[in-house]
Amino acid sequence: PKIRLFPSFMLQYSHGKEVYRMLELSEEQLNNLNKDALVIIASSLQDQLRSMAQQLENANARLDDNNRQIELLTEQIRIMNQRHFGKKAESGLSDMEGQLTLFDSFNEVEGFQKKDLPEPTIEEVTISSYRRSKAKGKREADLDGLPARIFEHKLSDEELAEKFPDGYKELPVEIHKRLHIIPETFIVDEHHVHVYASKSNDGTIIRAKRPVDLFRNSIATPALVASIINGKYVNALPLERQSRAYKCNGINLSTNTMSNWVVNSTERYLSLIYDRLHELIYENKVIHADESPAKVMRIENAKIKGGKKTYMWVYRNRPMHTTHPIVLFDWQASRKSDHPREFLKDFSGTVVTDGYQVYHKLADEREDLKVAGCWIHARRPFADFIKSVGLKTAKGTVAQEAYDMITDILHTDNEFDDLSNTDRKKQRQAKLQEKVDAYFEWVKQKYNQVTHNSTIGKALAYSINQEKYLRVFLTDGMIPPDNNYAEQAIRPFTIGRKNFVLMESDNGAKASAMLYSLVETAKANEVNTYQYLELLLTEIPMHMDDDNLKFLDELLPWSPRVQKECPSRYKKK
């Protein structure tokens, strides 16, 4: 007979077609079994134990995977929570305390329970009499240059005679300055054009000259359109909000009307100065680049419902002593490499950017184009991790050590800001080369000791993959170690995007790119954006019939005329 053992200690005897089963063999039954049956039972028990051990091992492995997955998800949620509700800036991380997150209960926060707090006493409650003194001359500096209305406050002759029966003398006048505001004032400009005809009735009719209209038979003026553009692209006020504000003043301007004015004035006039800036940006040997998503509702020749994710690219030069700051936005319907390839086709030099592979592809195609990486991007995931768990928890971790090493590299490079490009390159190779080498050696060592799918693992992998580009700044004193210029330039667009959510059409998106370029370039050159836009919309229409575009050089933000007529009162410290 064949004997097999089942997990429930049930023996099954099979002999021909007859099957006999017996559960839980007694001691006497076991004693009656022959040697072969006992061997089969022992072998079956071993197989069963081996199978159970394998199942337990697999269960533990799955449990470890689940725990690891939970840790990764918890880590990601902490970082997302910190990005939405925590501190944005990376400065002061060394002094930052742990933050209360969704994973912390009140009882888990050290010292938060009421029983742990000391009872306040009268002696502990003090009132400080310290009062910070204002900087002398600050008010005068803030109000300097503003038009002033002078109000004379005098006593009448009768009052003086009553107060001073023996006569009086006047002392120096006391001057008290207060800031007054006049809300938006709308004025209708009526142009009465005088028309003259010859007395001889020969048909000669002459009209007096008047300013050129922006648009035929339109009430739009350069000041009005400049105000609308300035409101949206400088102060991030959507056209709908501006329309409601105008209605409060009795002015009915629909969003469609204002949108048409903005798009048409950009396409007809302001695009000329944009193209000129595009030519001049190539004079620099270093350009910063970045891109950010932008949703567009309608795109020509595209079947889209509910909006399409497009991209706003930004390029900013690194101004030297012979050049001026230029910021250019370029809207494109996708994130393909064709767009920067076309925009940078006439540029020869170095592009400083993040780790996006499109730029690396362009560098591989051209010998005259190099790509430099950004150390701030390499440091950011470590900073996000530290901020999400708190400084106390992050102390001694891989994230804190990496953050400190990169920060030391950046701080050391800041010491060379006042040097020439040649001397800066020498100092970098003398003082930074060794630190950079040590960092990448340390990164590769730590990468093999962490979970590759974790935040720290991905951050270390980023540094390893970008090593070639992160080292470029060591070879040229003109190249900065970070891409802060581009990130600072694109920030106003991201703020405006939160307000107007999406753009109506691709024409509006292209116009927005040009307008953001003009206002950000104006701000970079310390020019009043509203006055500058009004000047452009006043001057450019007067030259539409010119044979050349040389007049545009007088309208560049750094030209003496613009600097004189449109000075910005805001000066960066």
Side-chain angles (χ1 to χ4, degrees):
K2 297 181 179 179
I3 303 176
R4 297 193 331 193
L5 182 68
F6 288 84
S8 59
F9 294 96
M10 178 178 67
L11 289 179
Q12 175 177 302
Y13 295 84
S14 60
H15 186 270
K17 295 182 179 180
E18 297 180 355
V19 177
Y20 305 91
R21 296 180 179 178
M22 183 169 54
L23 298 174
E24 296 183 358
L25 298 177
S26 64
E27 183 177 352
E28 182 180 355
Q29 291 170 332
L30 290 173
N31 290 331
N32 293 333
L33 292 176
N34 58 25
K35 179 180 178 181
D36 293 338
L38 292 174
V39 170
I40 293 174
I41 292 174
S43 177
S44 299
L45 288 172
Q46 288 180 349
D47 292 341
Q48 182 181 3
L49 291 174
R50 190 179 300 110
S51 176
M52 293 176 63
Q54 183 63 40
Q55 292 178 7
L56 181 61
E57 183 179 350
N58 293 338
N60 290 334
R62 288 194 298 270
L63 182 61
D64 291 340
D65 291 340
N66 290 338
N67 290 336
R68 191 177 300 108
Q69 187 67 19
I70 291 174
E71 290 178 0
L72 293 177
L73 293 175
T74 302
E75 182 180 90
Q76 293 176 8
I77 293 175
R78 281 185 179 274
I79 292 177
M80 292 174 60
N81 184 42
Q82 189 280 325
R83 288 177 178 173
H84 283 285
F85 307 108
K87 182 180 178 182
K88 303 299 182 182
E90 297 180 11
S91 59
L93 280 183
S94 59
D95 298 326
M96 193 188 73
E97 298 295 334
Q99 297 183 22
L100 180 65
T101 69
L102 294 175
F103 297 91
D104 299 321
S105 66
F106 291 122
N107 292 331
E108 291 173 341
V109 181
E110 182 179 359
F112 193 84
Q113 297 183 11
K114 184 176 180 181
K115 63 182 181 180
D116 296 332
L117 297 176
E119 292 294 331
T121 61
I122 296 178
E123 289 77 14
E124 293 175 333
V125 180
T126 59
I127 300 177
S128 175
S129 60
Y130 170 74
R131 194 175 177 185
R132 186 176 65 179
S133 60
K134 295 182 179 180
K136 292 183 178 180
K138 183 178 184 304
R139 175 177 296 181
E140 294 295 330
D142 291 341
L143 302 180
D144 182 45
L146 294 178
R149 298 184 301 175
I150 299 177
F151 298 92
E152 299 286 352
H153 303 282
K154 300 180 178 181
L155 295 178
S156 63
D157 294 338
E158 293 77 7
E159 291 176 321
L160 290 172
E162 179 182 354
K163 300 294 183 181
F164 303 100
D166 298 331
Y168 70 93
K169 63 179 180 179
E170 189 167 355
L171 300 178
V173 176
E174 294 181 356
I175 299 177
H176 303 274
K177 293 186 177 181
R178 301 294 181 265
L179 185 62
H180 179 73
I181 183 174
I182 300 176
E184 285 185 322
T185 302
F186 295 88
I187 302 175
V188 177
D189 292 338
E190 289 188 5
H191 295 272
H192 295 209
V193 180
H194 290 254
V195 183
Y196 306 92
S198 174
K199 289 184 178 181
S200 61
N201 296 324
D202 58 0
T204 302
I205 299 177
I206 300 177
R207 293 178 175 84
K209 291 184 179 181
R210 68 180 183 89
V212 179
D213 291 331
L214 279 177
F215 314 112
R216 182 178 177 84
N217 295 328
S218 173
I219 63 173
T221 60
L224 180 58
V225 177
S227 177
I228 296 172
I229 295 174
N230 190 75
K232 180 174 181 178
Y233 296 98
V234 178
N235 299 322
L237 290 175
L239 297 183
E240 177 63 30
R241 296 185 192 176
Q242 295 190 54
S243 177
R244 292 199 299 266
Y246 289 144
K247 287 181 180 179
C248 293
N249 290 280
I251 306 298
N252 293 317
L253 291 179
S254 67
T255 55
N256 288 337
T257 299
M258 292 190 293
S259 179
N260 289 334
W261 287 349
V262 171
V263 173
N264 290 334
S265 62
T266 304
E267 292 177 349
R268 291 187 190 181
Y269 311 119
L270 301 180
S271 60
L272 299 177
I273 198 76
Y274 174 87
D275 294 337
R276 180 58 178 150
L277 292 173
H278 194 171
E279 297 173 357
L280 295 175
I281 198 173
Y282 295 143
E283 294 182 357
N284 289 80
K285 296 301 179 183
V286 177
I287 287 182
H288 296 257
D290 199 4
E291 70 285 333
S292 184
K295 183 175 288 189
V296 177
M297 181 59 69
R298 298 193 317 272
I299 298 180
E300 188 177 359
N301 299 327
K303 297 179 180 180
I304 300 171
K305 294 182 179 180
K308 174 180 171 57
K309 184 179 180 180
T310 63
Y311 285 88
M312 188 72 78
W313 302 68
V314 64
Y315 303 90
R316 179 172 181 172
N317 66 346
R318 186 169 177 81
M320 308 302 290
H321 62 281
T322 57
T323 57
H324 303 278
I326 298 176
V327 182
L328 293 183
F329 287 78
D330 181 37
W331 175 84
Q332 295 294 343
S334 68
R335 208 182 179 196
K336 295 180 180 180
S337 59
D338 297 341
H339 310 312
R341 180 184 292 111
E342 174 66 21
F343 194 93
L344 299 171
K345 64 181 180 181
D346 296 327
F347 172 71
S348 177
T350 302
V351 178
V352 184
T353 182
D354 53 20
Y356 189 32
Q357 295 296 325
V358 160
Y359 303 103
H360 304 160
K361 182 178 180 181
L362 297 181
D364 294 337
E365 296 174 355
R366 297 170 49 183
E367 295 182 356
D368 61 338
L369 186 68
K370 293 193 300 183
V371 172
C374 175
W375 281 89
I376 296 295
H377 277 82
R379 187 181 69 173
R380 186 163 297 155
F382 299 116
D384 290 341
F385 179 85
I386 296 172
K387 289 185 287 186
S388 66
V389 301
L391 183 63
K392 184 180 296 185
T393 304
K395 186 176 182 180
T397 62
V398 174
Q400 185 67 62
E401 192 172 354
Y403 181 87
D404 292 340
M405 294 177 70
I406 296 177
T407 301
D408 180 49
I409 292 173
L410 295 174
H411 284 179
T412 303
D413 188 74
N414 289 341
E415 298 174 0
F416 314 142
D417 286 348
D418 297 331
L419 302 179
S420 64
N421 295 331
T422 303
D423 293 338
R424 187 181 299 111
K425 176 182 177 181
K426 292 180 180 179
Q427 290 297 322
R428 284 176 174 175
Q429 294 179 348
K431 297 183 179 180
L432 282 179
Q433 183 73 52
E434 184 177 354
K435 293 183 178 182
V436 172
D437 293 341
Y439 171 75
F440 284 111
E441 182 179 353
W442 175 85
V443 165
K444 295 172 184 177
Q445 177 186 358
K446 293 296 181 181
Y447 183 68
N448 297 324
Q449 302 175 5
V450 301
T451 303
H452 291 178
N453 288 333
S454 65
T455 301
I456 302 303
K458 293 178 180 179
L460 295 174
Y462 179 90
S463 293
I464 294 174
N465 296 333
Q466 300 296 317
E467 178 179 0
K468 171 184 175 182
Y469 308 102
L470 291 173
R471 288 180 175 272
V472 172
F473 84 105
L474 297 172
T475 63
D476 191 338
M478 291 181 59
I479 302 174
D482 58 65
N483 196 31
N484 283 348
Y485 267 18
E487 293 199 351
Q488 293 170 0
I490 207 169
R491 187 172 295 122
F493 166 74
T494 60
I495 294 175
R497 181 184 59 195
K498 290 182 179 180
N499 289 344
F500 54 72
V501 183
L502 52 79
M503 290 173 279
E504 185 70 19
S505 65
D506 51 349
N507 289 333
K510 294 175 183 177
S512 295
M514 296 183 188
L515 293 173
Y516 273 115
S517 302
L518 294 182
V519 298
E520 291 305 314
T521 302
K523 289 193 292 186
N525 287 274
E526 298 183 344
V527 169
N528 184 291
T529 54
Y530 166 74
Q531 294 177 353
Y532 181 56
L533 291 169
E534 183 184 12
L535 177 64
L536 293 178
L537 294 175
T538 301
E539 290 292 325
I540 294 179
M542 298 170 58
H543 296 271
M544 297 306 295
D545 296 331
D546 290 6
D547 296 333
N548 58 67
L549 300 177
K550 292 183 179 180
F551 72 94
L552 291 175
D553 290 341
E554 295 183 0
L555 300 177
L556 294 172
W558 54 84
S559 70
R561 176 185 177 183
V562 173
Q563 289 288 320
K564 180 180 179 180
E565 297 184 17
C566 312
S568 174
R569 290 184 50 81
Y570 172 74
K571 303 294 183 180
K572 293 183 179 180
K573 303 299 182 183

